[in-house]
Amino acid sequence: MQIGSIQLAPGAALAPMAGFTDAACRRMAARHGAAYTVSEMVSAKALTFGDKKSAQLIANGETLAPYGVQLFGAEPETMERAAALIGGYAFDFIDINMGCPAPKITAGGAGSRLLLEPERCGAIVAAVVKESGGRPVTVKMRTGWDAQHITAAEAAKACEAAGAAAIAVHGRTREQMYTPGTVDPAAIAAVKAAVKVPVVANGDIESAQDALDLLAATGCDGVMVGRAALGDPWLFGEIRAALAGQPLPPRPTLRQKMEALRTQIYEMCEEKGEWTAMPQARSQALYYMKGLKGAAALRRACCELQHFEDVDRLIEKVYAAGNR
């Protein structure tokens, strides 16, 4: 699949997830075969106000796969200024958030609220393309606002006409939030049929077979994985193998999982400082505990992480619980 001038390796992309897909998480995904990664969403308005935290979300460090910065906002003019402001950072493309269902985002007219105004979707894409510096501009959207407003195909056409190079579709409406089992392949397929640019399908992919099934049901050009990849970056390698018709690689050993957990949190501390990183690391660590013996006690230990050395104590508890 190709996004503008960017040729992507076969595989699944890592979906942007607020509070999770920081630089350390993105690198971990890329090391294991993610086709591309996208930053946590960055407020266009905050960027124009000079917010340092927003600027920090953009930094990516070592580039192991194509990387996009995701902006959100409701006004074309603000999005245009934000696109111009980030031009000096190292990234490969700009992604526009038209899918976030969080009330604090939609209340301001951004995120999935934009799907109620397809013309505005196109105007925002055109504004960002104008200041993208030649980098491709992509869009991440949902199927619509609710069951009465399935507008993704119309919005996608407006985005394509305005210069979008690719579109990712989370197969749920805003009303459905993240309810398991509610992904609508037909609605994603409708977007694929409506545009000529590549379309990436997203939602309910928890295995390599899920990825193959969603591709077959939608006819899309690629897939995007979200929460299932947290604590399990090996899923990207499995999807890449499945797409190539190859046997799936062996599942990671417990030692490999714990080494990955330690590496990810170490890199978080190096980049953000222990004081900032460790509270965020608690939620990351929880995902690595999935399926382990003594999970309830281990989850409590994850929530008590305060210093990096606590990670080693957590790992000791994993083995002490009888996990091998």
Side-chain angles (χ1 to χ4, degrees):
M1 185 174 77
Q2 189 160 331
I3 298 178
S5 60
I6 305 170
Q7 183 64 48
L8 300 174
L14 174 65
M17 291 173 280
F20 288 100
T21 48
D22 61 5
C25 180
R26 296 193 299 267
R27 278 195 300 274
M28 186 62 68
R31 289 184 187 120
H32 288 83
Y36 66 88
T37 68
V38 185
S39 75
E40 301 174 72
M41 61 182 183
V42 179
S43 167
K45 185 172 291 186
L47 278 172
T48 63
F49 290 158
D51 179 61
K52 293 182 179 179
K53 182 179 178 182
S54 295
Q56 290 169 355
L57 292 174
I58 298 171
N60 194 48
E62 184 180 4
T63 299
L64 300 169
Y67 164 60
V69 173
Q70 187 181 78
L71 299 177
F72 78 90
E75 300 84 21
E77 299 81 7
T78 304
M79 293 288 280
E80 181 178 332
R81 290 199 298 274
L85 286 170
I86 65 174
Y89 289 88
F91 62 92
D92 300 292
F93 62 96
I94 298 176
D95 188 59
I96 301 174
N97 184 303
M98 296 185 184
C100 180
K104 66 179 181 180
I105 303 300
T106 59
S112 54
R113 175 64 177 76
L114 290 169
L115 294 173
L116 292 173
E117 301 180 74
E119 289 186 7
R120 180 178 289 268
C121 293
I124 285 175
V125 170
V128 173
V129 167
K130 182 180 177 182
E131 292 293 343
S132 67
R135 293 180 172 110
V137 174
T138 64
V139 176
K140 175 87 187 301
M141 63 175 60
R142 285 181 172 243
T143 58
W145 179 255
D146 55 26
Q148 289 71 47
H149 300 88
I150 305 296
T151 56
E154 184 181 355
K157 286 193 286 187
C159 291
E160 180 185 46
I167 296 167
V169 185
H170 181 156
R172 295 181 175 89
T173 63
R174 187 268 181 182
E175 183 179 51
Q176 291 172 312
M177 299 295 283
Y178 299 100
T179 307
T182 57
V183 165
D184 184 355
I188 301 175
V191 174
K192 173 60 183 170
V195 298
K196 293 182 174 64
V197 296
V199 177
V200 178
N202 172 228
D204 280 353
I205 296 176
E206 298 184 354
S207 68
Q209 188 59 52
D210 289 341
L212 295 179
D213 291 345
L214 191 58
L215 282 172
T218 61
C220 283
D221 304 278
V223 291
M224 179 176 278
V225 180
R227 278 170 168 68
L230 298 176
D232 187 14
W234 297 272
L235 179 56
F236 292 105
E238 294 172 4
I239 293 175
R240 176 173 287 188
L243 291 173
Q246 300 171 349
L248 300 190
R251 291 297 297 163
T253 64
L254 181 61
R255 179 175 295 278
Q256 288 172 322
K257 290 184 67 173
M258 294 302 101
E259 286 176 351
L261 166 64
R262 194 178 191 280
T263 296
Q264 187 171 335
I265 296 178
Y266 177 80
E267 292 183 1
M268 291 174 69
C269 291
E270 283 289 289
E271 293 170 349
K272 305 177 184 182
E274 190 179 64
W275 179 259
T276 298
M278 290 310 298
Q280 298 174 5
R282 296 167 191 163
S283 55
Q284 295 281 4
L286 284 168
Y287 282 95
Y288 281 91
M289 301 299 113
K290 185 177 180 180
L292 296 181
K293 295 178 183 178
L298 294 175
R299 286 195 293 269
R300 287 195 295 272
C302 289
C303 295
E304 295 169 357
L305 294 174
Q306 296 187 54
H307 304 284
F308 180 70
E309 55 263 30
D310 294 336
V311 178
D312 288 327
R313 285 190 277 271
L314 170 63
I315 293 173
E316 289 173 3
K317 291 179 181 179
V318 167
Y319 286 105
N323 293 287
R324 294 292 182 271

